[in-house]
Amino acid sequence: MNATLKVFEDKNAVARQFAEDLLTWTKGKEKVTIALSGGSTPKVLFKILVEEYLEHFDWSSIHFFWGDERCVPPDDDNSNFKMTYDLLLQHIPDNQRNIYRVKGENNPEEEAKRYAQMIEEVVEKANGLPQFDIMILGMGDDGHTASIFPHQMELLEIDEICATAKHPVSGQIRVSLTGKVINNSKQIAFLVTGYGKAERLKEIFNQEDNYQQYPAAHIEAKNGGLTWYVDEGAAKLLV
């Protein structure tokens, strides 16, 4: 795998190092487009950004998008937007916020098209596709990333910028960026913590068994850098 692996003691150390790298990547830039992730590790990241880094960033240069979103209203506790707003965005002054949320309350198919159009209008293009400066990803226990699940591998290769996805257990509908757009990013960062991810991480990094059945194994950063920020629990089975 053509990726950089960084291992840290715990999720706090993972988040703190990523915050440092994020500061480096954004410093002095007039415009930076970031696609955010949901999950437990970004919660820690957002808290650290507010408590330790809030005054260090030029927030007016940063444009916030989401890699995926659950099709729920923005005040629903399942909303990735709500989590990000509560922990991070509300602490950024109003005149420095550039927020482009997925409207989870809309019809999912129509919203996937609307969000794709907005991305095309705001995000610079390269290789015929929108190119985010920074793509933050997580990985589920089943190897999914964004909302690309193992039973919908076609979302890795379709030409659309966004698509609807269905959670394999709950049946919940989501809007997700697709694989080609994710892989076109300048910097891709996986934030993966906890022993529950260790088996999947080992299979993907060692290219074991049927590792290609996991969407996360197909994230390649074809036009930039790919870094996995993991804690000791997630890295426990790596050799």
Side-chain angles (χ1 to χ4, degrees):
M1 173 180 279
N2 184 22
T4 299
L5 176 68
K6 296 184 178 183
V7 182
F8 304 93
E9 181 180 4
D10 55 27
K11 67 170 58 178
N12 288 304
V14 167
R16 190 166 283 108
Q17 183 57 58
F18 179 72
E20 284 286 341
D21 290 349
L22 185 63
L23 184 61
T24 299
W25 292 336
T26 60
K27 204 170 190 65
K29 303 283 180 59
E30 291 185 7
K31 180 181 177 182
V32 182
T33 53
I34 297 179
L36 302 172
S37 169
S40 61
T41 308
K43 288 182 180 179
V44 179
L45 169 65
F46 298 153
K47 289 180 179 178
I48 287 176
L49 287 174
V50 169
E51 293 171 359
E52 302 178 24
Y53 291 87
L54 198 62
E55 304 303 320
H56 296 281
F57 281 85
D58 175 10
W59 296 106
S60 65
S61 70
I62 299 176
H63 295 248
F64 294 101
F65 294 81
W66 277 261
D68 68 321
E69 180 60 281
R70 300 173 175 96
C71 291
V72 296
D75 58 353
D76 190 292
D77 286 340
N78 287 312
S79 167
N80 286 336
F81 167 78
K82 182 180 188 300
M83 183 266 282
T84 309
Y85 183 85
D86 290 348
L87 295 179
L88 174 63
L89 298 176
Q90 69 170 327
H91 300 285
I92 299 172
D94 289 357
N95 63 352
Q96 294 185 38
R97 295 182 198 156
N98 301 293
I99 301 170
Y100 306 86
R101 76 173 181 90
V102 179
K103 295 183 178 179
E105 67 273 25
N106 286 355
N107 172 277
E109 295 288 346
E110 293 178 2
E111 180 57 18
K113 294 176 182 177
R114 185 201 69 83
Y115 202 58
Q117 180 62 40
M118 187 169 66
I119 288 171
E120 286 203 286
E121 293 171 359
V122 179
V123 178
E124 297 293 327
K125 280 194 171 183
N127 311 302
L129 290 166
Q131 184 173 58
F132 285 92
D133 293 303
I134 301 165
M135 178 72 56
I136 304 174
L137 297 172
M139 181 183 71
D141 294 351
D142 61 354
H144 85 265
T145 191
S147 279
I148 304 177
F149 295 96
H151 73 286
Q152 289 184 297
M153 296 292 281
E154 69 274 9
L155 299 186
L156 289 165
E157 296 296 335
I158 62 174
D159 292 331
E160 287 80 5
I161 295 169
C162 298
T164 58
K166 179 185 286 190
H167 190 280
V169 178
S170 69
Q172 182 188 63
I173 304 300
R174 304 177 177 189
V175 172
S176 179
L177 294 180
T178 56
K180 287 185 178 180
V181 175
I182 292 172
N183 278 331
N184 197 43
S185 304
K186 291 181 181 178
Q187 293 286 347
I188 301 177
F190 272 97
L191 307 183
V192 180
T193 59
Y195 184 71
K197 311 292 176 67
E199 182 65 33
R200 212 59 70 232
L201 194 67
K202 177 177 76 75
E203 289 180 73
I204 290 172
F205 263 81
N206 295 340
Q207 298 187 349
E208 296 175 351
D209 303 323
N210 295 318
Y211 75 97
Q212 291 185 322
Q213 68 184 302
Y214 307 122
H218 295 266
I219 304 306
E220 302 170 336
K222 295 180 179 179
N223 301 288
L226 172 60
T227 305
W228 289 69
Y229 298 77
V230 308
D231 70 354
E232 292 177 355
K236 190 173 182 63
L237 300 179
L238 291 176
V239 293

